[in-house]
């Protein structure tokens, strides 16, 4: 009896053990499947230039590759996001890491990389740089204005109802246009017109990154269409090619005639950036935007976004802007990019590929001074764009540390959240000092408002660009004014102050100045390519903006960043293209760089805003501040072919096989590869490692008077002897292209930093200036 009972208990134990083992085995089998699913993500398979002219053939080729990889047509269909088949060949698809490694071994594949994230680089400006367009009433009598050109905008979409995008006086849609007006949420075919001639949107990449955050979230403010939820794309599009809008303003400030740089150019919108928490734009979506822009027939592409340092190689798929723009440039499309907002630190410039036009940001001569009247009748000045309801009577004035909730910490100094004593702050204007990068004027205003304060004066180091606080009047002052205010607070028994409304003042400030946030050179990826190329207005730029659900919106707002300077140059590029339709992207860049200005409104050299106020150098502004009128009549240009760019890539260490995969050409790398680094025919010269001497070759093409003589004027960098041979260039009907050599000899005995100079060719009318940057090397490890 006991034996039988023991056997049964033993049998039950065995059964339980077997069951447990099966469950464990099942879990072990399921876990890898779940894990594989979790790590399956979007990868971009880049195959270089397009394989077939027939786009359907190219797409089928991509599908067959995926079928071979994944084992079935259905799996391939479900995996494929985009097929890149117009400007270049490749596709974006979901796959695991091991599958990505497998497909990278396919002979036709150049590279396979995970889908990465890019960030946005987030009127009066046109008058300031000399584009004096007529009003809308006289536009019919004026020529050019970008007429007939198409500007592609890769950004956050567009708000089509904005007055900047009406198509009054617009010409016919160019016959070469092959784009579409893609419908979607609150965006239909009627939202396109002769101004906005096309709109597309790409979200498969970002949607995979956010795990369907956009498609599956009803709380998002985004639109599943080309409609702009952020405002960035609307702002940049109107800056580049917005039509005339009279009495444009932001809450009464900066009132005047608004327009883009090329008001008669057409706009093609490519929404690749989205309002999501983790970022804005993915590689997959950006590449598809480039692919379709090339297909559609745009003339200029403006791209106000980028990656941060460290930079990737120009043939590395992770720099999708470099890859996409290479193919666009090879098709004759001028691509303009923002330099980045990581200034004033050196070596932070992004979008540094030599075929790109990279734009830095500067101030204009408009300001919004705001008076602070103290109880002792002293008036100090700051700047503000808060033009809402102000209590103009005197109120108590206090310093944030005096009303700290916890005097033992420093959180109150810059008014960090919850740091102020509500009882002591109530009804007062609060002075805060910026002491860290973790706080800004808007966040400080929230702290003051929550504590019961009625106004904010925010003292900080020089930082360009104004932000509206909205919830209460806030004024930005420098540390000097802030210290004067603090001195008054400490001395007065009952300190008081009154904040006035801001005013719009034009022409009273020395400008331009290089914006404090504008990223600086030299390029960390290719220091022989001088970047940025050019500078343009990018501080407190008034342009079109979505109304954001308020009836009181003027439809315009101020934004600052190289995102704003970039479309300025894109608009000018469209003007040049309209006047010179046969000019290459390199010719347009050359005209912009060699005619740029180095002087401010007071006649002195342009200075830069940063840790120190010094004269701006080529790593701040490239050739200088853009001068559209002179760029139209450049005199001489430096041209570059796709073959030249390929040899440049060879000189960077890429072998013939890898470059052929990217370009799908039969081009071979020359034996003297290193010469292509400094001899790429750029309108600038950068020599990062001058040991003893070197010679640089350049070639210019005459685009001015047929019979003309140019003479060289050299301004040598300190410690370097520069000579030009020949010193005179004679052009005639038979001689339109001439080559010259520039020799550099170091006279330095010490290891040095970069020094700057210039070479200018002049016929007495034109001054074709090439910026020069040279660093002498006397020490090697």
């Amino acid at each position: 009896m006991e034996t039988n009972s023991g056997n049964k208990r033993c049998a039950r134990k065995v059964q339980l053990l077997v069951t447990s083992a099966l469950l464990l085995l099942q879990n072990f089998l399921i876990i890898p499947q779940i894990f594989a699913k979790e790590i399956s993500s979007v990868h971009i398979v880049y195959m270089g230039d397009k394989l077939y002219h027939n786009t359907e053939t190219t797409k089928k080729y991509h599908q067959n590759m995926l079928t071979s990889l994944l084992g079935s047509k259905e799996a391939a269909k479900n995996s494929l996001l985009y097929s890149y088949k117009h400007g270049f060949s490749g596709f974006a698809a979901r796959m695991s890491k091991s599958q990505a490694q497998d497909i990278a071994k396919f002979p036709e594949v150049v590279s396979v990389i995970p889908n990465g994230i890019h960030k946005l680089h987030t009127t009066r400006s046109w008058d300031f740089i000399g584009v004096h367009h007529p009003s809308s009433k006289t536009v019919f009598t004026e020529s050019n204005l970008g007429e007939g050109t198409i500007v592609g905008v890769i950004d956050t979409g567009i708000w089509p109802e904005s007055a900047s995008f009406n198509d009054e006086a617009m010409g016919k849609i160019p016959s070469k246009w092959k784009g579409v007006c893609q419908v979607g949420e609150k965006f239909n075919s009627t939202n396109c017109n002769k101004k906005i001639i096309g709109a597309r949107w790409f979200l498969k990449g970002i949607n995979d990154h956010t795990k369907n955050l956009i498609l599956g979230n009803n709380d998002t403010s985004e639109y599943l269409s080309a409609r702009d939820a952020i405002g960035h794309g609307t702002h940049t599009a109107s800056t580049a090619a917005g039509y005339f809008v009279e009495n444009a303003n932001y809450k009464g400030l900066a009132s005047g005639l608004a327009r883009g740089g090329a008001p008669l150019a057409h706009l093609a919108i490519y929404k690749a950036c989205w309002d999501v928490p983790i970022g804005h734009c993915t590689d997959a979506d950006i590449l598809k935007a480039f692919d379709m822009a090339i297909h559609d027939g745009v003339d200029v592409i403006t791209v106000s976004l980028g990656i941060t340092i460290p930079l990737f190689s120009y043939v590395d798929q992770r720099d999708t802007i470099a890859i996409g723009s290479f193919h666009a440039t090879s098709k004759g499309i001028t691509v303009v990019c923002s330099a980045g907002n990581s200034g004033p630190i050196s070596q932070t410039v992004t979008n540094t590929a030599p075929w790109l036009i990279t734009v830095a940001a500067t101030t204009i001569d408009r300001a919004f001074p705001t008076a602070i009247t103290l109880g002792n009748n002293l008036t100090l000045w700051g700047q503000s764009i808060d033009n809402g309801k102000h209590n103009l009577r005197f109120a108590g004035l206090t310093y944030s540390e005096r009303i700290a909730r916890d005097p033992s910490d420093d959180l109150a100094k810059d008014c960090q959240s919850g740091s102020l004593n509500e009882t002591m702050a109530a009804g007062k204007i609060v002075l805060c000092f910026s002491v860290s990068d973790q706080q800004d004027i808007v966040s400080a205003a929230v702290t003051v408002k929550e504590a019961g304060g009625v106004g904010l004066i925010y003292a900080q180091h020089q930082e360009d660009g104004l932000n509206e606080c909205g919830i209460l009047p806030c004024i930005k002052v420098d540390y000097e004014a802030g210290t004067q205010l603090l001195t008054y607070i400490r001395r007065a028994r009952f300190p008081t102050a009154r904040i006035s409304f801001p005013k719009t003042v034009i022409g009273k400030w020395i400008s331009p100045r290089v914006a404090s946030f504008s990223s600086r050179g030299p390029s960390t990826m290719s220091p022989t390519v001088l970047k940025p190329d050019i500078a343009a207005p990018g501080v407190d730029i008034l342009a079109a903006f979505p109304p954001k659900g308020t009836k009181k919106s003027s439809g315009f707002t101020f934004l600052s960043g190289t995102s704003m300077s970039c479309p300025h140059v894109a608009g000018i590029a469209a003007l040049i293209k309209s006047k010179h339709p046969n000019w290459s992207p390199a010719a347009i860049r050359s005209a912009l760089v060699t005619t740029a200005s180095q002087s401010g409104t007071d006649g002195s050299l342009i200075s830069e805003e940063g840790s120190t106020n010094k004269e701006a150098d080529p790593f701040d502004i490239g050739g200088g501040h853009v001068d559209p009128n002179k760029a139209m009549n450049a005199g001489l240009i430096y041209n570059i072919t796709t073959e030249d760019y390929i040899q440049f890539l060879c000189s960077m260490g890429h072998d013939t096989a890898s470059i052929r995969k990217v370009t799908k050409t039969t081009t071979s790398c020359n034996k003297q590869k290193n010469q292509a680094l400094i001899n790429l025919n750029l309108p600038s010269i950068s020599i990062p490692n001058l040991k003893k001497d070197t010679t640089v070759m350049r070639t210019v093409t005459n685009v001015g008077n047929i019979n003309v003589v140019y003479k060289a004027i050299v301004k040598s960098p300190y410690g370097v002897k520069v000579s030009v041979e020949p010193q005179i260039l004679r052009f005639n009907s038979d001689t339109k292209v001439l080559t010259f050599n520039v020799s550099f000899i170091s006279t330095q005995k010490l290891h040095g930093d970069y020094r700057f100079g210039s070479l200018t060719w002049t016929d007495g009318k034109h001054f074709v200036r090439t910026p020069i940057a040279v660093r002498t090397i006397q020490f090697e490890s």
Side-chain angles (χ1 to χ4, degrees), residues 250-279:
Y250 179 70
K251 297 184 178 181
L253 295 173
S255 181
L257 179 70
R259 73 275 187 174
L264 292 188
H266 305 280
L267 283 166
I269 305 304
Y270 302 90
K271 181 176 178 178
C273 301
W274 300 81
D275 187 13
V276 292
I278 66 162

Side-chain angles (χ1 to χ4, degrees), residues 217-268:
N217 187 357
N218 294 327
D219 296 330
T220 179
S221 62
E222 260 299 356
Y223 302 94
L224 297 179
S225 69
R227 184 171 290 277
D228 186 6
I230 299 174
H232 191 273
T234 300
H235 200 280
T236 56
S238 65
T239 301
Y243 193 62
F244 300 95
V245 180
E246 295 178 350
N247 300 316
N249 66 87
Y250 179 70
K251 297 184 178 181
L253 295 173
S255 181
L257 179 70
R259 73 275 187 174
L264 292 188
H266 305 280
L267 283 166

Side-chain angles (χ1 to χ4, degrees), residues 22-38:
L22 288 171
L23 286 172
L24 284 169
L25 179 61
Q26 184 179 17
N27 286 336
F28 278 121
L29 290 172
I30 291 172
I31 288 170
Q33 293 173 9
I34 295 172
F35 185 68
K37 186 177 180 180
E38 286 177 349

